[in-house]
Amino acid sequence: MFQNFGIKDIIDIVLVAVLMYQLYKLVNKSGTSSAILKGIMAFVVIWILVSYVFQMRLLGTIIDKVADIGLLVLVIIFQDEIRRFLMSVGSHSAIKTIARFFTGKKGSELSDSVITPIVLACMNMAKTYTGALIVIEQEIKLSNIEETGEMIDADVSTRLIENIFFKNTPLHDGAMIIADGRIKAAGCILPVTQRADIPQYMGLRHRAAFAVSQETDAKVIVVSEERGKISFVSGGEIEVNVSPERLQALLTSSLTKSKTKSKHKE
């Protein structure tokens, strides 16, 4: 049975193990019960043992039929996780480089004329405890989110950002979308994550930031209305208590490629 077992088979096993581990991390981070994934992995191991190792034809045939139906069920149950997994693969720097080479498109980069007003506005809003949620589009378009708010299409300026998020104004509760170096929309509605590992002091703005950063490659800035602190969210990871200097560095294209580390503690 193992006489033809070679290097290719070892590589095959290693790749499957890495894929399963990455899938486990993705499901665990999304807040989905890990018991479901463990049950699936156990079923796959039993399936391989029955069908290919011990070659039990009758039991193997039954499991094959169950697996055919189960695959469709899993796609339905884990549709969000599958989308995030594919997005994480597509957002990898190597994949992006290859895609840019064939499409001729340049990466999403923010100029200083856009970054500086954003940083100044966030710094001022943090001082006055003015809540804000700013979503900066990268390569994945946010047109569907823009349509949920009011279209603006204006130059990025500190005063405009502060006026939009000023307390009791019509658009201050929603999210602002910045794309192609311009403020595209404000008052936008974002999905809210159901992750259970988010600290209790983080409100709806932070949960919305987590959700949009998991579903897209957008960079998200949150200014807390209760604590007057700035947070930066990218790829489902958050960095809290961000200083203006750190925020400017995170928004610089050469630094935003690296994933930010989670720092929940004050």
Side-chain angles (χ1 to χ4, degrees):
M1 173 180 171
F2 295 100
Q3 57 185 0
N4 296 324
F5 193 84
I7 299 297
K8 185 174 68 174
D9 301 293
I10 296 175
I11 295 175
D12 189 20
I13 294 173
V14 171
L15 290 176
V16 171
V18 170
L19 181 63
M20 295 299 291
Y21 175 68
Q22 293 297 328
L23 183 60
Y24 173 77
K25 286 203 307 181
L26 186 67
V27 172
N28 192 44
K29 185 170 66 172
S30 67
T32 306
S33 175
S34 60
I36 298 177
L37 185 61
K38 290 177 181 177
I40 295 171
M41 295 174 69
F43 177 81
V44 171
V45 171
I46 294 173
W47 183 18
I48 293 173
L49 289 175
V50 170
S51 300
Y52 299 99
V53 178
F54 299 110
Q55 297 182 350
M56 299 178 178
R57 295 183 179 179
L58 180 59
L59 186 57
T61 301
I62 296 174
I63 294 179
D64 287 343
K65 297 299 182 181
V66 173
D68 291 339
I69 301 174
L71 182 62
L72 179 60
V73 175
L74 290 178
V75 171
I76 297 174
I77 295 176
F78 291 103
Q79 54 182 325
D80 291 336
E81 284 74 18
I82 292 172
R83 184 176 65 252
R84 290 168 189 155
F85 173 74
L86 294 175
M87 191 171 298
S88 65
V89 173
S91 62
H92 193 277
S93 58
I95 302 297
K96 286 183 177 180
T97 302
I98 296 173
R100 290 167 190 165
F101 175 79
F102 285 105
T103 60
K105 294 181 179 179
K106 295 182 179 180
S108 300
E109 296 182 359
L110 293 176
S111 63
D112 290 337
S113 62
V114 175
I115 293 176
T116 302
I118 295 174
V119 173
L120 288 175
C122 291
M123 180 178 65
N124 294 336
M125 290 187 293
K127 289 180 179 178
T128 58
Y129 289 80
T130 301
L133 180 57
I134 302 174
V135 182
I136 303 173
E137 180 184 275
Q138 299 296 298
E139 295 187 5
I140 297 177
K141 298 299 180 182
L142 303 175
S143 303
N144 58 329
I145 296 179
E146 293 175 9
E147 294 172 356
T148 64
E150 296 293 331
M151 301 302 295
I152 296 178
D153 194 22
D155 292 333
V156 177
S157 70
T158 300
R159 289 185 177 180
L160 180 55
I161 295 175
E162 291 181 25
N163 285 337
I164 289 175
F165 288 112
F166 188 77
K167 296 178 182 179
N168 300 324
T169 57
L171 303 177
H172 83 283
D173 276 335
M176 173 184 291
I177 308 297
I178 296 179
D180 300 323
R182 297 179 64 81
I183 299 176
K184 291 292 186 178
C188 299
I189 300 173
L190 300 182
V192 179
T193 185
Q194 300 300 322
R195 284 175 56 172
D197 61 335
I198 298 177
Q200 293 184 352
Y201 67 81
M202 293 185 179
L204 288 176
R205 286 191 179 94
H206 290 87
R207 289 187 171 275
F210 272 108
V212 74
S213 72
Q214 286 178 326
E215 296 181 3
T216 70
D217 59 349
K219 312 296 179 182
V220 190
I221 304 170
V222 182
V223 181
S224 173
E225 187 174 349
E226 291 76 19
R227 299 180 300 118
K229 302 294 183 180
I230 302 173
S231 300
F232 182 85
V233 187
S234 176
E237 301 290 339
I238 186 170
E239 183 170 335
V240 300
N241 297 343
V242 177
S243 66
E245 295 77 16
R246 176 60 177 163
L247 180 59
Q248 179 139 4
L250 289 168
L251 292 176
T252 303
S253 60
S254 61
L255 295 180
T256 52
K257 291 179 181 178
S258 60
K259 184 178 287 187
T260 56
K261 294 182 179 180
S262 178
K263 299 178 181 179
H264 292 316
K265 294 183 179 181
E266 293 288 339

